[in-house]
Amino acid sequence: MDPTRVVRAVRLSVVLAFVIASLGLSGGQAAAFDSYIYGIAFDASTGAPLANICVILGPVKLTCFTRTAADGTYRIDFPPNDLVTAAQQLEFLDQSGVYQEYDSPQFVVHGATRQDAPMLKPGQVPAQPCTGGTPTRTVYLPNVTKTLGGPGGWYTPFIVQNTGTAATRLEISFYRFSDGSLVTCRVVPSLAPGTSYADVPNNDTYLPGDSQFAVVVRSYGSTVVSVVNEHQGSGDEAEAMSYVGAAAGATSVFLPNITRRFFGFDTPFVIQNLGAVATTATARFVSFDGTAPTVTSIRTIDAGRSQFIDPNVEPGLVDGTQYAVTVTASQPLAVVVNTQDDQPWQVHPKAGSTGGVVVGGATLFGAYAPKNTDGISRSATVVVQNLGTSAASPTIAFTPHGGGTARTYALGAIRPGASKVFDVRYANGDTTQPFCASSAIGGCLPDGDYSFVVSAPGASLAGQVNVNSEATAMAYSATPTVAGKSFLPNVTRRLGGAAGWTTPLIIQSSSAVSVTLSWYRFSDGALVTTQTLPITPGSAIRVDPRDVSALSDDTQYSVVADGGTGSINGIVVELASGGDNAMIYEGFTAP
């Protein structure tokens, strides 16, 4: 069997096991229990694991209980069923003399208890600890993983961009999904304005593998934003999807498009509690056409932590059905939706991701809605959810990229809490009408790339855009908010080689007549180039980093798009060769 298919099969079993546990169906607590201490010794400056470090249990340095393995890990077991009540302490000794001794704080053993050893060479300065003070801005990342499902499984590098005018200090806390424990807090001492910091969990030796984390980024000194890139597999079976972190949650979060075995797609979603205390999250599923029963699912979530719901195994939901979902709680929440068609039997596994919507609007903006483009019939569906208490009847207007005549369609009435979809491949966007095999068919949108605006005066709407081809899937949220600037934390040009990641950015104008792009290099924060481009209000332009001569290959940039006195909306399309290496994330607006 193809090893990447094995990874996807393992991933499915991981999801099922976690969901069963979260539903309380695991069969009760076993009578026996194990108590042990484990962790890793590593260079506090580089993160490199340290082998053959002597680990001593107790304040008296008599003998080594164990030594760290080649990967820096160790484990000390207590007898089975031994309830350890006394406080413990560990000493870590490098008997070669390269590193100074590290003494752990005192701690109490509760089952599996982790104690890592960040070790310093003589003269090295310890890393600044996490302060726990009042941050300028907090950003929440509900789903961050390290080799989830095995060595080729899901991993999620994330990028944090400073959107303010002063340098800022970052504190990044990783909370384990399985038990909610704080695994580590990483400090970034200084991040300059406009620049970005990247974290790759697979390279973080102090994070356990095959694990999921809820991450909280606290910034001291400036506002920040973050984007997460999710990857699995390689070659023709590579999958990629992207979502943005939440700076502010809400007690009601809206998910326009949730499916259960709908043309192969499943949409597990992750709910993070942004509040200060535990909360109960309630997810209400309303089918698009009203034919399936409304279903309610419940999860209890500790502060800062995450839980998820997988529709494919959630009781009461109906196969082959699309749902609009509203998630509510007494504490603010953030939600990430992963739309996946990647079961082990799928020839072309693909996935897209987007965040839950916390604020609706009477007008929604979308920068990118292709129809039969890129030589692979890449096309969009636009899903609109009615967040209000009465029916809404929106219109949707598509404008060609670069400008041109807009085409406007009626979406029809949408019930409160429900959603309706516009599929650009069908006449009038309605899948019950003729398939647009020819542009001569009435009501068909011509092939090409478009931006769009959804409007229903007095209504409150949310929107999700799915951009698919036979072998790729991407998703992003339409926005009710346009502003003077859009921050784009991660823009690349041939990153990883000629077939590597290139990320065109698409800027949609609400009222701007020009847009100025400032490109900052990741490696040193330098402003590499600035360019000002004309843009027609009501339309969008696409900027490919490969066409900007001042930029370099195999390089990452953070970009600030400035619409001057006008308003704009931006997204980034991330593309690489092979499989489903295609994803989109939304830019961050600021006045």
Side-chain angles (χ1 to χ4, degrees), residues 334-408:
V335 181
V336 169
V337 179
N338 293 331
T339 301
Q340 298 170 237
D341 181 12
D342 62 357
Q343 301 301 331
W345 53 83
Q346 175 57 257
V347 176
H348 298 296
K350 50 188 175 289
S353 184
T354 188
V357 178
V358 298
V359 178
T363 304
L364 302 177
F365 297 86
Y368 179 49
K371 181 186 175 187
N372 291 331
T373 64
D374 296 345
I376 55 174
S377 298
R378 184 168 275 148
S379 297
T381 58
V382 181
V383 181
V384 178
Q385 183 177 8
N386 179 6
L387 313 186
T389 58
S390 59
S393 299
T395 60
I396 183 168
F398 294 89
T399 301
H401 278 187
T405 302
R407 292 180 176 237
T408 301

Side-chain angles (χ1 to χ4, degrees), residues 165-299:
T165 57
T168 195
R169 165 190 165 91
L170 303 180
E171 295 182 358
I172 306 171
S173 299
F174 292 79
Y175 297 95
R176 200 189 327 258
F177 261 42
S178 57
D179 59 8
S181 62
L182 175 63
V183 177
T184 190
C185 181
R186 159 172 274 190
V187 174
V188 179
S190 182
L191 184 66
T195 64
S196 291
Y197 162 80
D199 187 288
V200 182
N202 276 19
N203 296 339
D204 293 342
T205 56
Y206 39 80
L207 293 178
D210 197 11
S211 297
Q212 286 178 280
F213 308 93
V215 170
V216 180
V217 181
R218 296 177 176 88
S219 173
Y220 298 85
S222 183
T223 55
V224 294
V225 296
S226 183
V227 60
V228 181
N229 292 331
E230 304 172 280
H231 300 273
Q232 175 182 254
S234 60
D236 289 341
E237 293 205 339
E239 294 176 72
M241 49 190 181
S242 186
Y243 72 89
V244 298
T251 54
S252 294
V253 181
F254 304 93
L255 316 179
N257 187 49
I258 299 298
T259 65
R260 175 176 168 123
R261 298 188 180 95
F262 186 76
F263 293 96
F265 282 99
D266 175 33
T267 55
F269 55 92
V270 180
I271 308 167
Q272 186 174 17
N273 177 3
L274 278 55
V277 298
T279 194
T280 298
T282 301
R284 185 171 183 265
F285 293 75
V286 177
S287 66
F288 277 26
D289 59 8
T291 59
T294 296
V295 174
T296 298
S297 300
I298 295 174
R299 296 291 187 271

Side-chain angles (χ1 to χ4, degrees), residues 1-12 147-154 232-239 342-346 349:
M1 180 180 286
D2 189 322
T4 57
R5 297 193 178 211
V6 173
V7 166
R8 286 191 274 128
V10 170
R11 177 246 170 219
L12 180 60
T147 58
L148 183 66
W154 287 103
Q232 175 182 254
S234 60
D236 289 341
E237 293 205 339
E239 294 176 72
D342 62 357
Q343 301 301 331
W345 53 83
Q346 175 57 257

Side-chain angles (χ1 to χ4, degrees), residues 40-45 50 92 99-102 116-120:
I40 184 170
F42 59 93
D43 185 301
S45 296
L50 301 178
F92 296 82
Y99 289 86
Q100 301 177 80
E101 174 184 333
Y102 173 79
D116 292 336
M119 302 187 71
L120 295 165

Side-chain angles (χ1 to χ4, degrees), residues 323-340:
Y323 295 90
V325 173
T326 302
V327 185
T328 57
S330 61
Q331 297 293 307
L333 305 173
V335 181
V336 169
V337 179
N338 293 331
T339 301
Q340 298 170 237

